[in-house]
mmCIF file of all heavy atoms in Angstrom:
data_model
loop_
_atom_site.group_PDB
_atom_site.id
_atom_site.type_symbol
_atom_site.label_atom_id
_atom_site.label_comp_id
_atom_site.label_asym_id
_atom_site.label_seq_id
_atom_site.Cartn_x
_atom_site.Cartn_y
_atom_site.Cartn_z
ATOM 1 N N TYR Z 126 0.692 23.624 -20.101
ATOM 2 C CA TYR Z 126 -0.385 24.012 -21.014
ATOM 3 C C TYR Z 126 0.193 24.696 -22.258
ATOM 4 O O TYR Z 126 1.111 25.521 -22.158
ATOM 5 C CB TYR Z 126 -1.349 24.981 -20.323
ATOM 6 C CG TYR Z 126 -2.151 24.382 -19.203
ATOM 7 C CD1 TYR Z 126 -1.930 24.769 -17.886
ATOM 8 C CD2 TYR Z 126 -3.146 23.439 -19.456
ATOM 9 C CE1 TYR Z 126 -2.672 24.226 -16.844
ATOM 10 C CE2 TYR Z 126 -3.883 22.898 -18.429
ATOM 11 C CZ TYR Z 126 -3.648 23.294 -17.126
ATOM 12 O OH TYR Z 126 -4.384 22.751 -16.101
ATOM 13 N N LYS Z 127 -0.380 24.396 -23.395
ATOM 14 C CA LYS Z 127 -0.004 25.108 -24.615
ATOM 15 C C LYS Z 127 -0.568 26.531 -24.587
ATOM 16 O O LYS Z 127 0.067 27.472 -25.055
ATOM 17 C CB LYS Z 127 -0.530 24.356 -25.840
ATOM 18 C CG LYS Z 127 0.048 22.963 -26.006
ATOM 19 C CD LYS Z 127 -0.608 22.238 -27.161
ATOM 20 C CE LYS Z 127 -0.103 20.802 -27.265
ATOM 21 N NZ LYS Z 127 -0.788 20.065 -28.356
ATOM 22 N N ASN Z 128 -1.772 26.644 -24.024
ATOM 23 C CA ASN Z 128 -2.431 27.942 -23.906
ATOM 24 C C ASN Z 128 -3.226 27.939 -22.600
ATOM 25 O O ASN Z 128 -4.179 27.172 -22.449
ATOM 26 C CB ASN Z 128 -3.357 28.205 -25.100
ATOM 27 C CG ASN Z 128 -3.919 29.613 -25.108
ATOM 28 O OD1 ASN Z 128 -4.174 30.202 -24.052
ATOM 29 N ND2 ASN Z 128 -4.117 30.160 -26.293
ATOM 30 N N LYS Z 129 -2.858 28.808 -21.661
ATOM 31 C CA LYS Z 129 -3.482 28.799 -20.334
ATOM 32 C C LYS Z 129 -4.919 29.320 -20.353
ATOM 33 O O LYS Z 129 -5.617 29.218 -19.343
ATOM 34 C CB LYS Z 129 -2.645 29.632 -19.369
ATOM 35 C CG LYS Z 129 -1.281 29.028 -19.071
ATOM 36 C CD LYS Z 129 -0.486 29.853 -18.105
ATOM 37 C CE LYS Z 129 0.018 31.135 -18.747
ATOM 38 N NZ LYS Z 129 0.915 31.888 -17.827
ATOM 39 N N ASN Z 130 -5.348 29.878 -21.468
ATOM 40 C CA ASN Z 130 -6.700 30.431 -21.544
ATOM 41 C C ASN Z 130 -7.629 29.624 -22.443
ATOM 42 O O ASN Z 130 -8.737 30.052 -22.726
ATOM 43 C CB ASN Z 130 -6.650 31.881 -22.034
ATOM 44 C CG ASN Z 130 -6.044 32.803 -20.985
ATOM 45 O OD1 ASN Z 130 -6.493 32.828 -19.846
ATOM 46 N ND2 ASN Z 130 -5.007 33.532 -21.365
ATOM 47 N N ARG Z 131 -7.169 28.459 -22.865
ATOM 48 C CA ARG Z 131 -8.014 27.578 -23.678
ATOM 49 C C ARG Z 131 -8.323 26.314 -22.879
ATOM 50 O O ARG Z 131 -7.476 25.795 -22.158
ATOM 51 C CB ARG Z 131 -7.320 27.196 -24.987
ATOM 52 C CG ARG Z 131 -7.032 28.381 -25.905
ATOM 53 C CD ARG Z 131 -6.497 27.895 -27.230
ATOM 54 N NE ARG Z 131 -7.518 27.184 -27.985
ATOM 55 C CZ ARG Z 131 -7.264 26.483 -29.099
ATOM 56 N NH1 ARG Z 131 -6.019 26.368 -29.539
ATOM 57 N NH2 ARG Z 131 -8.248 25.890 -29.753
ATOM 58 N N SER Z 132 -9.542 25.818 -23.012
ATOM 59 C CA SER Z 132 -9.940 24.606 -22.291
ATOM 60 C C SER Z 132 -9.116 23.418 -22.776
ATOM 61 O O SER Z 132 -8.600 23.405 -23.896
ATOM 62 C CB SER Z 132 -11.434 24.329 -22.491
ATOM 63 O OG SER Z 132 -11.721 24.157 -23.867
ATOM 64 N N ILE Z 133 -9.002 22.417 -21.916
ATOM 65 C CA ILE Z 133 -8.145 21.271 -22.227
ATOM 66 C C ILE Z 133 -8.633 20.528 -23.456
ATOM 67 O O ILE Z 133 -7.831 20.023 -24.245
ATOM 68 C CB ILE Z 133 -8.067 20.329 -21.007
ATOM 69 C CG1 ILE Z 133 -7.369 21.028 -19.837
ATOM 70 C CG2 ILE Z 133 -7.317 19.052 -21.346
ATOM 71 C CD1 ILE Z 133 -7.276 20.192 -18.580
ATOM 72 N N ASN Z 134 -9.947 20.454 -23.668
ATOM 73 C CA ASN Z 134 -10.433 19.714 -24.826
ATOM 74 C C ASN Z 134 -10.027 20.371 -26.139
ATOM 75 O O ASN Z 134 -9.913 19.702 -27.171
ATOM 76 C CB ASN Z 134 -11.956 19.552 -24.755
ATOM 77 C CG ASN Z 134 -12.689 20.879 -24.904
ATOM 78 O OD1 ASN Z 134 -12.467 21.792 -24.111
ATOM 79 N ND2 ASN Z 134 -13.568 20.988 -25.900
ATOM 80 N N LYS Z 135 -9.754 21.682 -26.130
ATOM 81 C CA LYS Z 135 -9.263 22.345 -27.339
ATOM 82 C C LYS Z 135 -7.758 22.145 -27.516
ATOM 83 O O LYS Z 135 -7.237 22.234 -28.622
ATOM 84 C CB LYS Z 135 -9.602 23.828 -27.279
ATOM 85 C CG LYS Z 135 -11.102 24.113 -27.374
ATOM 86 C CD LYS Z 135 -11.392 25.606 -27.372
ATOM 87 C CE LYS Z 135 -12.886 25.862 -27.491
ATOM 88 N NZ LYS Z 135 -13.202 27.315 -27.471
ATOM 89 N N GLN Z 136 -7.076 21.899 -26.398
ATOM 90 C CA GLN Z 136 -5.643 21.621 -26.477
ATOM 91 C C GLN Z 136 -5.373 20.126 -26.656
ATOM 92 O O GLN Z 136 -4.248 19.729 -26.953
ATOM 93 C CB GLN Z 136 -4.948 22.109 -25.203
ATOM 94 C CG GLN Z 136 -5.141 23.598 -24.941
ATOM 95 C CD GLN Z 136 -4.400 24.050 -23.702
ATOM 96 O OE1 GLN Z 136 -3.195 23.860 -23.593
ATOM 97 N NE2 GLN Z 136 -5.114 24.660 -22.763
ATOM 98 N N LYS Z 137 -6.380 19.308 -26.417
ATOM 99 C CA LYS Z 137 -6.337 17.847 -26.509
ATOM 100 C C LYS Z 137 -5.482 17.230 -25.410
ATOM 101 O O LYS Z 137 -5.994 16.680 -24.456
ATOM 102 C CB LYS Z 137 -5.855 17.399 -27.895
ATOM 103 C CG LYS Z 137 -6.833 17.758 -29.010
ATOM 104 C CD LYS Z 137 -8.205 17.169 -28.738
ATOM 105 C CE LYS Z 137 -9.187 17.492 -29.835
ATOM 106 N NZ LYS Z 137 -10.554 16.989 -29.523
ATOM 107 N N PHE Z 138 -4.162 17.291 -25.510
ATOM 108 C CA PHE Z 138 -3.305 16.669 -24.506
ATOM 109 C C PHE Z 138 -2.503 17.720 -23.737
ATOM 110 O O PHE Z 138 -1.965 18.648 -24.335
ATOM 111 C CB PHE Z 138 -2.317 15.690 -25.154
ATOM 112 C CG PHE Z 138 -2.962 14.464 -25.715
ATOM 113 C CD1 PHE Z 138 -3.254 14.375 -27.065
ATOM 114 C CD2 PHE Z 138 -3.283 13.394 -24.891
ATOM 115 C CE1 PHE Z 138 -3.839 13.239 -27.595
ATOM 116 C CE2 PHE Z 138 -3.872 12.253 -25.406
ATOM 117 C CZ PHE Z 138 -4.154 12.173 -26.762
ATOM 118 N N VAL Z 139 -2.439 17.557 -22.409
ATOM 119 C CA VAL Z 139 -1.543 18.364 -21.583
ATOM 120 C C VAL Z 139 -0.804 17.413 -20.636
ATOM 121 O O VAL Z 139 -1.337 16.381 -20.235
ATOM 122 C CB VAL Z 139 -2.291 19.448 -20.775
ATOM 123 C CG1 VAL Z 139 -2.938 20.468 -21.713
ATOM 124 C CG2 VAL Z 139 -3.331 18.839 -19.851
ATOM 125 N N TYR Z 140 0.419 17.780 -20.305
ATOM 126 C CA TYR Z 140 1.264 16.932 -19.467
ATOM 127 C C TYR Z 140 1.551 17.634 -18.140
ATOM 128 O O TYR Z 140 1.586 18.864 -18.072
ATOM 129 C CB TYR Z 140 2.578 16.615 -20.184
ATOM 130 C CG TYR Z 140 2.390 16.036 -21.557
ATOM 131 C CD1 TYR Z 140 2.266 16.857 -22.680
ATOM 132 C CD2 TYR Z 140 2.318 14.655 -21.734
ATOM 133 C CE1 TYR Z 140 2.073 16.323 -23.947
ATOM 134 C CE2 TYR Z 140 2.129 14.114 -22.998
ATOM 135 C CZ TYR Z 140 2.010 14.958 -24.099
ATOM 136 O OH TYR Z 140 1.821 14.418 -25.334
ATOM 137 N N TYR Z 141 1.790 16.838 -17.099
ATOM 138 C CA TYR Z 141 2.067 17.448 -15.795
ATOM 139 C C TYR Z 141 3.002 16.565 -14.966
ATOM 140 O O TYR Z 141 3.135 15.354 -15.204
ATOM 141 C CB TYR Z 141 0.777 17.722 -15.023
ATOM 142 C CG TYR Z 141 -0.010 16.492 -14.622
ATOM 143 C CD1 TYR Z 141 0.158 15.908 -13.367
ATOM 144 C CD2 TYR Z 141 -0.949 15.926 -15.491
ATOM 145 C CE1 TYR Z 141 -0.572 14.799 -12.989
ATOM 146 C CE2 TYR Z 141 -1.673 14.814 -15.125
ATOM 147 C CZ TYR Z 141 -1.481 14.252 -13.875
ATOM 148 O OH TYR Z 141 -2.204 13.145 -13.523
ATOM 149 N N VAL Z 142 3.637 17.184 -14.005
ATOM 150 C CA VAL Z 142 4.451 16.485 -13.000
ATOM 151 C C VAL Z 142 3.919 16.880 -11.630
ATOM 152 O O VAL Z 142 3.312 17.946 -11.483
ATOM 153 C CB VAL Z 142 5.946 16.838 -13.133
ATOM 154 C CG1 VAL Z 142 6.498 16.352 -14.458
ATOM 155 C CG2 VAL Z 142 6.176 18.336 -12.984
ATOM 156 N N PHE Z 143 4.140 16.047 -10.633
ATOM 157 C CA PHE Z 143 3.607 16.365 -9.313
ATOM 158 C C PHE Z 143 4.451 15.713 -8.219
ATOM 159 O O PHE Z 143 5.212 14.766 -8.449
ATOM 160 C CB PHE Z 143 2.150 15.914 -9.180
ATOM 161 C CG PHE Z 143 1.968 14.417 -9.170
ATOM 162 C CD1 PHE Z 143 1.952 13.705 -7.975
ATOM 163 C CD2 PHE Z 143 1.803 13.714 -10.359
ATOM 164 C CE1 PHE Z 143 1.784 12.334 -7.959
ATOM 165 C CE2 PHE Z 143 1.641 12.334 -10.355
ATOM 166 C CZ PHE Z 143 1.625 11.655 -9.153
ATOM 167 N N GLY Z 144 4.297 16.241 -7.029
ATOM 168 C CA GLY Z 144 4.931 15.677 -5.844
ATOM 169 C C GLY Z 144 4.228 16.201 -4.609
ATOM 170 O O GLY Z 144 3.644 17.292 -4.630
ATOM 171 N N GLY Z 145 4.250 15.436 -3.536
ATOM 172 C CA GLY Z 145 3.547 15.887 -2.333
ATOM 173 C C GLY Z 145 3.775 14.983 -1.149
ATOM 174 O O GLY Z 145 4.767 14.248 -1.070
ATOM 175 N N VAL Z 146 2.835 15.018 -0.227
ATOM 176 C CA VAL Z 146 2.940 14.242 1.006
ATOM 177 C C VAL Z 146 1.554 13.730 1.374
ATOM 178 O O VAL Z 146 0.531 14.356 1.046
ATOM 179 C CB VAL Z 146 3.528 15.111 2.144
ATOM 180 C CG1 VAL Z 146 2.604 16.282 2.472
ATOM 181 C CG2 VAL Z 146 3.797 14.281 3.399
ATOM 182 N N GLY Z 147 1.511 12.595 2.033
ATOM 183 C CA GLY Z 147 0.224 12.027 2.421
ATOM 184 C C GLY Z 147 0.323 11.251 3.716
ATOM 185 O O GLY Z 147 1.407 10.908 4.189
ATOM 186 N N VAL Z 148 -0.836 10.991 4.308
ATOM 187 C CA VAL Z 148 -0.913 10.163 5.506
ATOM 188 C C VAL Z 148 -1.711 8.912 5.134
ATOM 189 O O VAL Z 148 -2.742 8.987 4.467
ATOM 190 C CB VAL Z 148 -1.556 10.927 6.682
ATOM 191 C CG1 VAL Z 148 -2.948 11.428 6.332
ATOM 192 C CG2 VAL Z 148 -1.595 10.055 7.932
ATOM 193 N N PHE Z 149 -1.207 7.744 5.562
ATOM 194 C CA PHE Z 149 -1.766 6.464 5.144
ATOM 195 C C PHE Z 149 -1.982 5.559 6.353
ATOM 196 O O PHE Z 149 -1.142 5.506 7.253
ATOM 197 C CB PHE Z 149 -0.830 5.755 4.159
ATOM 198 C CG PHE Z 149 -0.570 6.528 2.904
ATOM 199 C CD1 PHE Z 149 0.376 7.535 2.895
ATOM 200 C CD2 PHE Z 149 -1.264 6.243 1.737
ATOM 201 C CE1 PHE Z 149 0.629 8.260 1.726
ATOM 202 C CE2 PHE Z 149 -1.017 6.960 0.578
ATOM 203 C CZ PHE Z 149 -0.077 7.968 0.583
ATOM 204 N N TYR Z 150 -3.101 4.846 6.321
ATOM 205 C CA TYR Z 150 -3.414 3.897 7.392
ATOM 206 C C TYR Z 150 -3.510 2.493 6.797
ATOM 207 O O TYR Z 150 -4.228 2.279 5.807
ATOM 208 C CB TYR Z 150 -4.739 4.260 8.066
ATOM 209 C CG TYR Z 150 -5.144 3.290 9.152
ATOM 210 C CD1 TYR Z 150 -4.715 3.473 10.461
ATOM 211 C CD2 TYR Z 150 -5.943 2.184 8.866
ATOM 212 C CE1 TYR Z 150 -5.075 2.587 11.465
ATOM 213 C CE2 TYR Z 150 -6.312 1.290 9.858
ATOM 214 C CZ TYR Z 150 -5.872 1.494 11.155
ATOM 215 O OH TYR Z 150 -6.222 0.613 12.136
ATOM 216 N N GLY Z 151 -2.799 1.552 7.392
ATOM 217 C CA GLY Z 151 -2.877 0.182 6.900
ATOM 218 C C GLY Z 151 -2.303 -0.810 7.888
ATOM 219 O O GLY Z 151 -1.303 -0.541 8.553
ATOM 220 N N GLN Z 152 -2.938 -1.994 7.992
ATOM 221 C CA GLN Z 152 -2.499 -3.059 8.888
ATOM 222 C C GLN Z 152 -1.984 -4.228 8.064
ATOM 223 O O GLN Z 152 -2.755 -4.860 7.347
ATOM 224 C CB GLN Z 152 -3.661 -3.546 9.750
ATOM 225 C CG GLN Z 152 -4.251 -2.499 10.667
ATOM 226 C CD GLN Z 152 -5.478 -3.031 11.382
ATOM 227 O OE1 GLN Z 152 -6.606 -2.672 11.079
ATOM 228 N NE2 GLN Z 152 -5.269 -3.912 12.348
ATOM 229 N N PRO Z 153 -0.679 -4.540 8.140
ATOM 230 C CA PRO Z 153 -0.184 -5.728 7.430
ATOM 231 C C PRO Z 153 -0.716 -7.004 8.066
ATOM 232 O O PRO Z 153 -0.589 -7.212 9.275
ATOM 233 C CB PRO Z 153 1.340 -5.612 7.573
ATOM 234 C CG PRO Z 153 1.571 -4.709 8.721
ATOM 235 C CD PRO Z 153 0.399 -3.790 8.808
ATOM 236 N N LYS Z 154 -1.309 -7.854 7.238
ATOM 237 C CA LYS Z 154 -1.866 -9.119 7.699
ATOM 238 C C LYS Z 154 -1.355 -10.253 6.829
ATOM 239 O O LYS Z 154 -0.774 -10.027 5.768
ATOM 240 C CB LYS Z 154 -3.403 -9.069 7.662
ATOM 241 C CG LYS Z 154 -4.014 -8.020 8.583
ATOM 242 C CD LYS Z 154 -5.538 -8.072 8.540
ATOM 243 C CE LYS Z 154 -6.157 -7.066 9.495
ATOM 244 N NZ LYS Z 154 -7.631 -7.126 9.492
ATOM 245 N N ALA Z 155 -1.588 -11.483 7.264
ATOM 246 C CA ALA Z 155 -1.139 -12.643 6.495
ATOM 247 C C ALA Z 155 -2.168 -13.766 6.578
ATOM 248 O O ALA Z 155 -2.916 -13.880 7.551
ATOM 249 C CB ALA Z 155 0.215 -13.135 7.004
ATOM 250 N N ASP Z 156 -2.195 -14.590 5.525
ATOM 251 C CA ASP Z 156 -2.998 -15.799 5.498
ATOM 252 C C ASP Z 156 -2.072 -16.962 5.864
ATOM 253 O O ASP Z 156 -1.358 -17.496 5.019
ATOM 254 C CB ASP Z 156 -3.587 -15.996 4.094
ATOM 255 C CG ASP Z 156 -4.291 -17.339 3.944
ATOM 256 O OD1 ASP Z 156 -4.574 -17.982 4.962
ATOM 257 O OD2 ASP Z 156 -4.542 -17.744 2.781
ATOM 258 N N LEU Z 157 -2.076 -17.358 7.143
ATOM 259 C CA LEU Z 157 -1.148 -18.373 7.633
ATOM 260 C C LEU Z 157 -1.838 -19.597 8.223
ATOM 261 O O LEU Z 157 -1.164 -20.528 8.673
ATOM 262 C CB LEU Z 157 -0.217 -17.764 8.694
ATOM 263 C CG LEU Z 157 0.775 -16.711 8.178
ATOM 264 C CD1 LEU Z 157 1.512 -16.059 9.339
ATOM 265 C CD2 LEU Z 157 1.764 -17.344 7.207
#
Side-chain angles (χ1 to χ4, degrees):
Y126 292 112
K127 298 175 184 177
N128 188 326
K129 293 181 288 185
N130 290 306
R131 297 187 68 190
S132 60
I133 295 179
N134 67 301
K135 292 183 179 179
Q136 302 182 56
K137 294 303 181 184
F138 291 98
V139 296
Y140 307 88
Y141 65 94
V142 295
F143 68 92
V146 63
V148 58
F149 300 81
Y150 178 88
Q152 298 175 254
K154 297 183 178 181
D156 172 15
L157 293 173

